[in-house]
Each structure stands twice: as C-alpha cells, then as structure tokens.
Amino acid sequence: MTQTRGKRRTALVLGAGGLVGGAWETGVLYGLADAGVDAASADLIIGSSAGAVVAARLAAGKSSIAELYEGELDGSAPAEPPARLGALTILRYAVAVLTSRTPEEYGRKLGRLALGAATVDEAARRATVGRRLDPVTRWPDRPLLISSVDALNGELAAYDADSGVPLVDAVTASCAIPGLWPPATLDGRRRIDGGVHSTANAHLAAGYERVVVIAPNASGNNVVLSPARQGAALAAAGARVEVITPDRASKQALGRNSLDPSHRAPAARAGRAQAAAHAPAVAALWAQ
C-alpha cells in the first residue's frame, strides 16, 4: 500500500454504499458544512467504492460541497443507469461470507465470482466512472487514498498520487462490484470493489489523531468488520473517532437498492438532515 505523506492529525473516511450511498454521504457532508464544520478539511481523505467517487471529487476541490449536493438533487451530477445484483449473485455473496474466515478469503471468493461474470467491457466501465468523476481527471495535490481488493489474493490495497496509477483507474477498481461490473486492471493486477474488505476500511486511518467515518452501509460480521467496530479499534489505539451511519429516516430514504439513481435526491436530503445530530461532536473533534 502506498503511504501518503504529510500531517497525520485528521482523517475523513467515506465508505461504500452505491450511487445512493454516495448521495447520502454528500448530504451528510453538506449538512455538517451547514453547521459550520468543514469535514473536507481533513489532512487525509479515504474513499472506498461509492465513497471513492465522493472522496476524489471532494479532495479535488473543483466543485464546492454545496455544488456536489445540488447535483444530487437536480440530477446534474454524473450518474449511471439503474442496476441491481441478481438473486443468484446475492446468494453467492452470502455463501462466500459464511464460508470465509478472513476478509482476504472472502475477497478471493468474490474475486473468482467477478472474474467469471459476464459484464460490460472494462474500458466501457472505466468511461462511465470517468463521467462520474468529471471534471476531476487527476490526483489532487492533497492526500487522498482510494481502496480496492486484489481479485486473486483478496488483499486490500490503497492507492494515492504517488502510486503511479491514474486516478480514474483507481476509482474504477474501487467501484468494481463483483458480479455486476468487471474487475479493473491496476499495475497488471485485476482488482475489485474496495467495499469487499469492509464497508468503510476505516482502519486505513490508523495513526491519525482524529477520525470521522461516514458510512452508508453499517453492516458487518465476523469476517467483514462494521464501521462501528473499526471505529472502536481506532479509538482503542488512542484516536478520537466519530462514526456516522444512517439513522432510521436515512435508511428509509436510501431504500433497498443502493444502485437505483431515483433514490439519490431523497438520500442526499436525509443525509443533510441527519448531519445536524452529529455536527456538535464532529465540530468538537475538528477543533482540537
């Protein structure tokens, strides 16, 4: 994993959750900004899957958080056609997690699923992700980590500006949902969705003093650790941590299919509303 240089005080972690989860994250960030908390000012931003898209656009600074939020509401933000994992694929996910003992073993099993699935062409998928990132095409000057999982060995890696991997390729890999989108090729390795290892990958913020985790998917188990458990581990190591996952209203707004673009606006609004409850804690964290 490439090491990001610079200050190691504050980190913002943006987790996996599909197009709809990314809209919710954007709403939370805008709601925090409404309350005077600029979470995007973190010394390091970490993104996985949908969170990778939000993280890259946020870190690049070519659009304000208000503009990103409005894009979710009016549909001007780059999107994708509706998609859904099939019942058989979901079953294979369940079997994989039940028969795995480590995130790496789970990653290998989903990697085999991804490598054998009939999907769109890899180049076409990269072009779609490029449109979602537009106008961001290059790594920003500020520290940014984008996660993905090796389809063969199941290991997590995080890429940054020093990795030599183009930003669009790193984000395409991070968003490569097994069984739905093709694995992306980075440095000759086939890589899949960063959310396979965990829905937040908050452990990548180890060593930072203060960490805010915004995770649309709060789930976890003995193999894939939840954002709450990862946050607790960071706290046990001495960090101050605030973990934000969807409340009841946000869960309802997110809906059952995180890949349905019609839920983006409701999810963004719900995230903005929920942020008010977390703003005092995040403000206290960032003020240290």
Side-chain angles (χ1 to χ4, degrees):
M1 182 178 69
T2 302
Q3 296 296 318
T4 296
R5 300 185 295 273
K7 297 179 291 184
R8 297 177 65 85
R9 292 196 296 266
T10 57
L12 172 65
V13 178
L14 299 172
L19 283 171
V20 183
W24 178 82
E25 289 176 323
T26 302
V28 172
L29 289 165
Y30 186 50
L32 292 174
D34 275 344
V37 184
D38 182 12
S41 66
D43 297 325
L44 171 67
I45 301 178
I46 299 168
S48 296
S49 197
V53 176
V54 179
R57 300 186 76 198
L58 195 67
K62 292 190 176 183
S63 301
S64 68
I65 187 58
E67 290 170 328
L68 294 179
Y69 176 75
E70 288 301 324
E72 299 293 349
L73 296 189
D74 62 21
S76 62
E80 300 179 14
R84 181 184 294 274
L85 287 171
L88 180 57
T89 301
I90 294 173
L91 177 61
R92 292 184 67 181
Y93 272 62
V95 171
V97 78
L98 289 171
T99 58
S100 298
R101 295 185 178 182
T102 66
E104 291 76 22
E105 185 179 2
Y106 179 58
R108 290 193 295 273
K109 291 176 179 178
L110 290 195
R112 287 196 293 270
L113 186 160
L115 291 168
T119 66
V120 299
D121 179 78
E122 185 177 342
R125 176 60 183 164
R126 184 187 187 279
T128 297
V129 174
R131 288 191 293 272
R132 287 181 64 189
L133 288 174
D134 186 64
V136 179
T137 58
R138 297 182 179 180
W139 289 95
D141 293 333
R142 58 182 303 183
L144 170 68
L145 284 180
I146 302 296
S147 73
S148 59
V149 169
D150 191 299
L152 293 181
N153 63 30
E155 294 178 358
L156 179 76
Y159 292 85
D160 68 3
D162 294 332
S163 66
V165 170
L167 176 63
V168 175
D169 291 337
V171 175
T172 301
S174 193
C175 295
I177 300 172
L180 184 64
W181 308 126
T185 304
L186 303 186
D187 288 338
R189 304 289 296 183
R190 307 299 302 282
R191 303 197 66 84
I192 59 175
D193 198 295
V196 166
H197 191 273
S198 71
T199 60
N201 293 316
H203 64 293
L204 294 176
Y208 282 76
E209 299 170 9
R210 290 162 280 151
V211 183
V212 172
V213 181
I214 304 176
N217 188 338
S219 66
N221 48 58
N222 289 336
V223 177
V224 179
L225 297 184
S226 69
R229 286 183 64 184
Q230 290 190 326
L234 291 172
R240 294 190 60 192
V241 184
E242 176 74 5
V243 177
I244 304 174
T245 56
D247 60 14
R248 182 177 297 179
S250 287
K251 288 178 182 178
Q252 184 175 3
L254 286 161
R256 293 183 178 275
N257 182 9
S258 64
L259 303 173
D260 183 351
S262 68
H263 288 276
R264 289 168 66 191
R269 292 190 182 96
R272 181 184 182 186
Q274 183 181 341
H278 299 274
V282 177
L285 212 62
W286 251 222
Q288 295 295 314

